Amino acid sequence: MENRYRSGEHGFESSAEGLADKVETLFNQQLETWALAKKNYQSLRQVEIRRIRFPEMEYQIQFNPSRLVSAQAKVDTKSIRERTCFLCQEHLPQEQKGIYVGKGIYGLKQDYQLLINPFPIFRKHLTIPSVVHVKQSIEGRIGDMLGLARQLPAFTLFYNGPECGASAPDHMHFQAGCKDEMPFERAWTGMRKQILCQKNDTFLYAINESINQVLVFKGKDKDWIIDRFERMLKYALDLPVSAGKSEPMMNLLCEYTDTEWTLSVFLRQRHRPIQYFEEGDNNRMISPGAVDLGGIIITPLNKDFRHTDKNQLEDILHQVIIDVSEFNELSTKLGETNYE
Ligand SMILES: [Zn+2]
């Protein structure tokens, strides 16, 4: 059933101008009037961080108790069916206001609203749900992600696939956090990479490092990025790791700087590592999504924040990131599109 957005109930219509300014106003308004959000954004200022360095990049372990709900989210079909959807308009907390961005504005193909995330990882953290209750899927929406990134140049947008990080797999949503805070955003340019295909100054790179098998699109040509991304989806769905799936398991980061987009694709083979399900000392409440693979590892529990060491982190990342041989198979297929 569709839940149509009713304008005026939980926010205001947005025109094509000044989305970034409207977001500033929304943050100020919400932090004044919404006690839960205010408390959680204040706590984030004292957030503790530990750093673990690998040759290719540094990971920041963030101790963030407010993320416990998300890390513990039950995302199986039965649990999802039995809970009320927290991204649907009619279930938003009374204090929560949003900015509506509709079809046609910024070239968007679908309707969304911008909300502040009351359980932040970033000093500014947005949730951008679809106005209608439709399942989490990137199909037909990568252009919307690029369009929104362009309008929010202070942010990096991210997307968690329905089976690898989204705590509402039944309700389509993007998120956004302050740009350049995830270590990967700066580190990737120094990593070992190969150009798979290009059109003029827009490129698709494959990064193949010890713990980073990532595809990165970079450049000005939005239509080309959309075209190659959609092919990537199709090819990745043919990989053994995607058997029985409606969408390849993946997380996305997307930002726009100096007239160029950067869109990073982290393909996955697993959502939660075995440590997540272990009992006793071996247990780690680490449930990786886009932000974790971007280099900010969220630990809602103090024991995990203190005790996760470099070997464990490496093991966890290897378990969840796509297998190298499948990544190479996909890269080869995408490389062949360069001659078209
Ligand atoms: Zn919903």
Side-chain angles (χ1 to χ4, degrees), residues 3 83 85-89 91 132-134 170-172:
N3 298 301
R83 63 115 170 86
C85 175
F86 57 88
L87 292 180
C88 272
Q89 187 68 32
H91 303 136
V132 293
H133 183 85
V134 289
D170 55 337
H171 192 130
M172 172 61 208

Side-chain angles (χ1 to χ4, degrees), residues 2-20:
E2 287 200 341
N3 298 301
R4 297 298 305 176
Y5 175 84
R6 292 175 293 276
S7 81
E9 276 193 12
H10 257 277
F12 40 96
E13 296 281 344
S14 179
S15 64
E17 285 90 41
L19 187 57

Side-chain angles (χ1 to χ4, degrees), residues 132-145:
V132 293
H133 183 85
V134 289
K135 69 179 168 59
Q136 182 80 334
S137 165
I138 197 65
E139 195 182 353
R141 291 183 187 265
I142 195 66
D144 287 356
M145 191 178 196

